[in-house]
Each structure stands twice: as C-alpha cells, then as structure tokens.
Amino acid sequence: MSGVAPITSRERVGELDVLRGFALLGVMIINLKELGGVDVTITADQLAALPSAAADTRLDFWVRLFVADKANTLFACLFGLGFWVQMQRLEARGAPFREIYLRRAGILLIFGWLHVLLLFSWDVLHIYGIAAFILLFSRKLSNRSLLLIGGALLLLGKPAITALFSWSGISGPLDAITFADSEVLARQAAAQAGDFPGFMSLMAENLWLGWLLNGGLIGWIAYATGRFYIGAWIARKGWIQNAKDNLSPFRRWLWPLLLGGWSLEAVRLLSEEGLIGSGEPWTAVAGEALHAIATPMIAAGYVCALVLLFNTRVSSWLVRPFAPVGRMALTNYVMQGFAITLILTGVGPGLALAGKAGLSAFLPMVFAFYAAQVVFSHLWLTYFAYGPLEWGWRALTYAERPRFRRAVRIDATT
C-alpha cells in the first residue's frame, strides 16, 4: 500500500482536532457520572445519603443541561466525519479505499469489543466500529438521503427502539434484575474491594442482560449510525475542512443554536423536577422530544463556538489546548477508561469511590485528569508523530509502519 500511508501533520484539519479534544472532556464527565451513578455502582438511597447530596443534585442539573448526550453526539459525529474524510482522501489518491477502510473499521470493532469485555464496560468503540461498517455500505446515498436518514435516526432511533423493547414487555423483567439494589451493591462491593476480575464479571452480566438482551446495543447502533450519517453529510459539505474560508455561517448560527437548545433542554429538565408543567404522563414524552431536538442544536452550537474561537487570532489560544488531546483521541479515550476504573475501584492505587461519592467529587477529578492529558498529549506530540494507539491502528490498517518519532529539526543558525 505504498503511497497511501496516513496523512501527515500538514494535512490535518486543526478544527477537527480541537473539536475531538473538547468532546473527550465531556465524554469523560458523562462516563464517570454514569458508571459511578445510580443503578450501576451506587443505589438511589446511598446517593441521597451522601453529605454532598445537595451539591450533587445541583451539579447534575447543569451537567445534564450542558454536557449529557451533547458530548457523545459531537464525538460520534466527528467519528463519522473522520471516516468519511478518509474515504474521500483515499479515493482521490486512487488507493484501494474499500480494503483500507474495512481493515480500519474492523480493527476498531475488534478493539472495541475487547475493550468493553476486558477493561472498560462503558466503552463506545465497539458501537462505532459497527456504525463505520454501515457508513461504508451507505456511501452511495445522496446528500439528501444522508441528512434525512441520519436526522431520523438521530432524533428517533434510540428512543423508538427503547420504547419498542419496553412495550414488548422485554425491558421490565431485565431492568428489575440489572437495576436491583442487590446487583448494584454486588458491583459496588467488588469495586471497593479491588476485585477487578469479579467487578468485570458482574459488569459482563450487566452487559448481557441490560445491553444485549434489552436492546441497548441495537438502540445505540441506531444512535451512532444517525450521528455518523450527519458527520458524513457535514464532511461532504466541507464546512469543517474549509471553515476558515467561510466563517459567516458559524457566526450567524452560534447564538440561535446555543440559546435555543439550552432553552429547550432547560424546559425539559425543569419539567422533570416538577418545577414547571402539569406532571401529566404526556409530559415525559414531550420531555424526550425536547431533549432529542435540543441535543443536536447544542452540539452544533459548540461546533460553531469552537470553530470561531480557533479561527480568531485573539482567542485561538483558548481552544488550541484541546488540539493535542484530539490528535490522540483513541489513546486519550482509553486512558480515561483506566482513570475512571481507578477512581471507582480499589484496583492497585485506585480510590474505591464507588458508592461513596457523587458529582461534586467526580468533576474536580475529571478536570484535573483532563488537564494532565493536555500536558501529556502536548509533550508526547513534541517527540512523536502519533499517539501510541493511533500509531498501532495506522500500522495495522495500512500494513506498514508509519514513522513514529518526529523528525528532529536543526536550527540553521547554529
């Protein structure tokens, strides 16, 4: 495959790296919140009894407003966009893009399943691997079809499948098992004891009952595929790749998207808390509809904000620290999984906080670890061309080893 090796640093789209890095911060917040949250490793009664319960409740509102589902939506769209850009570049070079793409997606799929089964039970890569295959076999779709199908799956795919499994009577008995306090306490005990094999065994049971049999995987495939389609549609438009040459749409849509999305999401959250609305059964359906519409609006608003900041000289320094993290997105995502495991379990130097802490303890840890990732990624990329997992992924994809270390620059004046 000589001549079709991975892109060089000069070919990278800076905005994409910034967006990936930003999304990863939100992904870690949500992964720790959920894996360390109610019905997984802490019971509702335990969470309410924490000394920090009041602060945790307030923070939960803001995290759900600004981060929950928005970070995952942005991350998935960027994966779809990235896969599509790769297809375009390979085709332009006359490379056997189908073979290369299938190998790249297959490696991601295999790695994702190993990751979810052996290391981090909240992995999303096994879903993205499946969505990547679906995207390849959809490449002949028109722009209109990508947008309409992607939009329908984005808005309705996961809720419809969840509702179908609920109405069929499948979800009820399975939820009663996976969410039972006895199961939660068993996972919590294994985590606190530092029994990693026991903890992963219990999480595998949860994966089987609450993920595979209960339709979770199917729902999330629809979720990811819709976002991959939207990412591919955006890639076809070239909006991110050519953003610096046409910033006016980003300025025009920035505040309508953010203010409109935040307003809809706030109405939904306040309604759930009983602060507004009548509390009738239909309000739950209305709330889900508001959330489905608000989520892509807010995610798109974040894209507008980051693109504008990146391409404005006086403000680009605010977002450029995200870029090294985004260039090593796979490595940093896996590192976050290790960090979350150490925060929740007593494995090795782990803190064993499962069942003992809420968001007010988790958020500072996330920000501290992410700051360390920014520094680590910057230093690593000073000496190496790729992150370690990115290098391995590329070597396996292209059946040749790309240059790992960066070329040493010699100052001509010395």
Side-chain angles (χ1 to χ4, degrees):
M1 296 186 183
S2 179
V4 296
I7 63 171
T8 65
S9 297
R10 292 182 179 179
E11 294 177 288
R12 297 195 68 88
V13 179
E15 291 87 346
L16 284 178
D17 290 331
V18 168
L19 291 169
R20 288 192 193 98
F22 175 79
L24 272 173
L25 174 59
V27 166
M28 185 175 183
I29 291 172
I30 296 306
N31 282 343
L32 181 53
K33 173 185 181 294
E34 293 186 351
L35 191 57
V38 172
D39 294 333
V40 183
T41 56
I42 190 171
T43 67
D45 290 339
Q46 286 177 322
L47 187 63
L50 292 176
S52 60
D56 292 337
T57 300
R58 289 193 295 269
L59 285 172
D60 183 74
F61 176 89
W62 296 109
V63 167
R64 293 174 69 194
L65 176 64
F66 292 119
V67 185
D69 213 11
K70 293 80 179 174
N72 291 331
T73 290
L74 180 55
F75 200 46
C77 285
L78 291 171
F79 254 86
L81 192 155
F83 269 106
W84 196 272
V85 168
Q86 184 197 41
M87 271 199 292
Q88 289 179 323
R89 285 173 169 167
L90 290 171
E91 285 187 285
R93 296 175 184 179
F97 78 92
R98 185 186 179 92
E99 176 187 348
I100 296 172
Y101 184 101
L102 286 172
R103 187 178 298 175
R104 182 173 176 80
I107 293 166
L108 181 65
L109 180 61
I110 293 169
F111 180 83
W113 276 109
L114 291 173
H115 194 222
V116 74
L117 292 172
L118 301 177
L119 295 173
F120 185 56
S121 54
W122 236 243
D123 168 84
V124 75
L125 301 177
H126 66 294
I127 305 167
Y128 287 2
I130 296 170
F133 277 98
I134 296 172
L135 183 64
L136 174 65
F137 296 110
S138 306
R139 68 186 187 279
K140 299 298 183 181
L141 290 176
S142 65
N143 282 354
R144 178 186 176 90
S145 296
L146 276 177
L147 178 60
L148 292 178
I149 298 173
L153 289 174
L154 186 151
L155 296 173
L156 304 173
K158 183 169 171 282
I161 291 169
T162 300
L164 177 63
F165 273 77
S166 178
W167 292 334
S168 69
I170 295 175
S171 296
L174 293 174
D175 288 346
I177 297 173
T178 55
F179 298 153
D181 282 357
S182 58
E183 295 294 317
V184 174
L185 292 172
R187 294 191 287 264
Q188 182 187 114
Q192 292 179 1
D195 179 10
F196 187 70
F199 177 69
M200 290 304 296
S201 176
L202 291 168
M203 291 305 299
E205 179 183 339
N206 182 69
L207 184 75
W208 172 250
L209 296 176
W211 186 243
L212 299 176
L213 295 183
N214 205 10
L217 178 60
I218 299 173
W220 272 85
I221 290 172
Y223 176 103
T225 301
R227 285 152 176 79
F228 268 50
Y229 276 17
I230 296 298
W233 175 72
I234 293 171
R236 278 185 171 179
K237 295 290 186 179
W239 288 336
I240 304 299
Q241 305 95 301
N242 304 305
K244 65 180 180 181
D245 298 323
N246 190 19
L247 294 176
S248 58
F250 294 95
R251 296 191 187 96
R252 183 166 61 249
W253 285 102
L254 170 64
W255 290 114
L257 287 169
L258 286 179
L259 295 179
W262 285 334
S263 298
L264 293 176
E265 191 70 89
V267 169
R268 174 238 182 172
L269 294 173
L270 293 172
S271 176
E272 284 185 0
E273 294 183 3
L275 298 178
I276 61 174
S278 62
E280 296 295 329
W282 62 266
T283 59
V285 176
E288 286 301 314
L290 290 175
H291 174 69
I293 297 169
T295 293
M297 289 179 64
I298 296 170
Y302 291 158
V303 171
C304 291
L306 290 164
V307 167
L308 289 172
L309 289 170
F310 180 81
N311 286 286
T312 303
R313 183 176 300 178
V314 296
S315 61
S316 64
W317 64 272
L318 291 170
V319 298
R320 287 189 180 276
F322 292 120
V325 181
R327 284 186 62 181
M328 296 171 52
L330 180 61
T331 296
N332 282 312
Y333 174 77
V334 173
M335 287 173 62
Q336 288 180 358
F338 279 110
I340 291 170
T341 298
L342 292 177
I343 290 170
L344 295 178
T345 74
V347 176
L351 302 178
L353 291 182
K356 300 177 183 178
L359 268 175
S360 57
F362 292 154
L363 284 179
M365 295 179 187
V366 170
F367 289 124
F369 182 78
Y370 187 84
Q373 286 193 302
V374 170
V375 175
F376 168 75
S377 300
H378 176 77
L379 292 175
W380 180 275
L381 292 171
T382 301
Y383 300 100
F384 299 97
Y386 305 101
L389 291 183
E390 285 74 16
W391 183 88
W393 194 10
R394 283 161 171 74
L396 292 172
T397 297
Y398 293 93
E400 61 182 44
R401 293 184 296 176
R403 178 177 53 82
F404 194 23
R405 292 189 63 87
R406 294 176 63 90
V408 178
R409 295 181 180 179
I410 300 176
D411 188 346
T413 63
T414 60

